[in-house]
């Protein structure tokens, strides 16, 4: 695994310039667990389609959303 703490502009640039989208994508079995008034933990799965007649792979997902300037935003996520 790998752990990184990236700035917003670096993440934005990655998705705008270097990211290759999956052939298909589907969230599965998401659970939302409130953590006080200003945070939510999300756990679940997603299916990442590889295309070309190949079966999608299933991966786990965990995120922590925290309230920032009145909106819930991703503070931490693990895929």
């Amino acid at each position: 695994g790998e752990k990184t703490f990236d700035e917003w502009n670096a993440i934005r640039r990655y998705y705008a310039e270097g990211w290759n989208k999956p052939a298909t994508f589907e969230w599965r079995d998401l659970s939302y667990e409130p953590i006080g008034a200003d945070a939510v933990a999300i756990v679940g799965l997603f299916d990442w389609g590889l295309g070309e007649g190949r079966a999608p792979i299933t991966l786990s997902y965990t995120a922590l959303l925290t309230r920032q300037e009145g909106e819930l935003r991703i503070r931490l996520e693990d895929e």
Side-chain angles (χ1 to χ4, degrees):
E2 178 180 306
K3 177 173 70 172
T4 62
F5 294 98
D6 298 321
E7 296 293 326
W8 165 247
N9 286 333
I11 295 168
R12 184 174 184 211
R13 188 172 42 259
Y14 171 76
Y15 282 103
E17 298 172 5
W19 184 70
N20 294 315
K21 69 179 184 176
T24 59
F25 182 90
E26 183 176 349
W27 290 112
R28 293 194 308 128
D29 302 322
L30 292 179
S31 297
Y32 303 86
E33 299 294 330
I35 303 174
D38 293 314
V40 176
I42 302 172
V43 295
L45 305 169
F46 61 90
D47 292 332
W48 184 276
L50 302 173
E52 302 174 19
R54 297 163 50 191
I57 57 174
T58 300
L59 299 162
S60 63
Y61 181 78
T62 305
L64 174 64
L65 280 59
T66 58
R67 192 171 314 279
Q68 299 173 14
E69 300 175 7
E71 296 185 25
L72 288 173
R73 297 182 187 261
I74 297 171
R75 173 75 176 126
L76 164 85
E77 68 180 346
D78 182 55
E79 303 166 347

